[in-house]
Amino acid sequence: MKNILIIEDDLSIANELKDLLDNSGYHGLILQDFDNPLDEIVQIKPDLILLDINIPKINGELLLQKIRKQYTTPVIMVTSRNNEADEVLSMSYGADDYITKPYNPTILLLRINAIFKRMENKNDNLAYHDLKIIPQKGLIQKENTEVLLTKNEMIIFTYLLSKQGNIVTRDELMTDLWNNNEFINDNALTVNISRLRTKLKEIGYENAIETRKGQGYILL
Amino acid sequence: MKISHYLKDKIVFILLYIITSLIISAMLSVFKVNNEAIIGVNVTLFIFIIIYLIYDYLRKNKFYSKFLANLDHLDQKYLIIETLTKPTFYDGEILYDSLYEINKSMNEKVKEYRLNLNSFKDYIEMWIHEVKLPLSSINLMLHNKETLSIPKVSAQLKRLDDDVEQVLYYVRSENAEKDYLIKETNLNKIISNVAIQNKDILLEKNIELEVQNTNIDVLTDAKWLGFIINQIISNSIKYTRDNPVIKISSQDQKDKILLKIYDNGIGIPKRDLPKVFDKTFTGSNGRKITTSTGMGLYIAKKLCQKLGHQITINSKENEFTEVTIIFYKNDFLNIAK
């Protein structure tokens, strides 16, 4: 399980964030010691850091610079300052992403997911059991057969794949689609999922996507 | 005005007089003029000089003593000019006229600030009423736990969030400081951000969102443009008719890029159209719907002006509204590339 360190001085936000991360298959940890944040970071060895810009004792951007001197741990900056200049500055200090409060929790999860995805598969080809998935071509290959997916179906499938074994809500899928400039509505999502199921059936994975009533979908 | 100060101010004149009278006396005695005549010339000169000095002192004293005394007594020193009559000597006139001009320009500046402050106060007051609506509705929802539904609460939170953003950008649009950053930004990215912000309400109200040809770079500040587009889309969401559609598209022209945001909503009456970018203008549509501060498009226009974009609106009542943002291309940047 991935450890995510939350550096945030507002306890209520930090706790909610921890719950959000814990419920999404990560392990959330909250930084306790703002006097020596680096020591705690060394101890915890997080896989990713959520760093608020406005933290006590030391400024978030300064801390980011210090972290970058020693580690390559991915960092997402979180801030209530809604300002393009800050964003550019943070990115230049080596932040991997930047998100402003009040953020949509689904978006935050998407960004975290995207960073981990980027780290894990440098090569773009994904795999599901004996299937080879080539997102750029919209192809799923199996030995000598292959099926073509539409852009929407591919977005849905790769998202489910990245969360394989976990329940994915319709809202998450919808947000990921919208994030990829596919502004579809509820009906279209249902249609896309049933088409995706049909296509998976064609290559022998009939019940790969299960519906969990009232919760969402799960790719087994 | 003390006499000693006055004489000190005239010291050069007095010294010159003394030297002149000494030289004249010396010259007259060289030419063997008799002593009585020399004394006579000197006395005459002396009397005229004294008369001049007394006259000059009295008229200046009259003005400056009153000036200083009034200045001392006045609570609001800037009113000094109102208590004085215009002096008859030249440097006094200059002072009087300058004070008058300075006062006038300062009054204008003060008036400008007062108007700004008043309109800010009006806006904040209106705004506070505005943010209390989602707050109290969330409060009520929490109280009636049975009817508590997550989409409803998040819709109210979105309203609250929009309100808070609006006041932030209002302040930014009024501020003379340059706190934005113009760089090449992809329109797609900004539009999908705004779309996701409005996703829940768009889906709930079954509004179709069509986005075309927006994979294009423009020179802008991503955050500011996001706010502007959000204001426009919020209006489209507010004023819908049947089968609502919002279409966003862009056109790449020779020297500019157009971003068009079209909706098939209730439209704007022709008479209201020229005024929609005015401060606190709500028009007849705004009066139909309660949550309208009339500030959204005003702020959007101000931000556009600061960024160097142009914003125009076209509409037909009961048919459509189309807002166009025009981004001018920067030749210099293309050459630099």
Side-chain angles (χ1 to χ4, degrees), chain A residues 1-4 21-28 45 47 116:
Chain A
M1 203 186 280
K2 297 260 193 282
N3 285 330
I4 298 181
L21 295 173
D22 288 349
N23 291 332
S24 316
Y26 302 112
H27 184 219
K45 292 203 194 81
D47 298 294
F116 283 140

Side-chain angles (χ1 to χ4, degrees), chain A residues 81-85 87-88 98 100 102 104 107 110-111 171 174-175 178-181 183-186, chain B residues 161 165 168-169 172 179 181 183 188 191-193 195-196 199-200 202-203 206 209 211 221-223:
Chain A
R81 286 191 237 162
N82 195 354
N83 185 326
E84 191 76 9
E87 179 168 346
V88 172
Y98 182 98
T100 45
N104 179 328
I107 299 268
L110 269 180
R111 303 265 181 105
D171 186 57
M174 197 67 112
T175 310
W178 283 46
N179 202 24
N180 285 293
N181 289 62
F183 307 106
I184 64 170
N185 59 24
D186 258 320
Chain B
D161 188 22
E165 284 283 281
L168 174 72
Y169 280 95
R172 283 186 181 171
D179 48 8
L181 190 80
K183 61 178 168 85
N188 255 349
I191 291 167
S192 73
N193 274 338
I196 290 171
K199 178 170 72 67
D200 294 338
L202 286 169
L203 291 176
N206 236 323
L209 180 65
V211 180
D221 178 288
K223 296 262 155 58

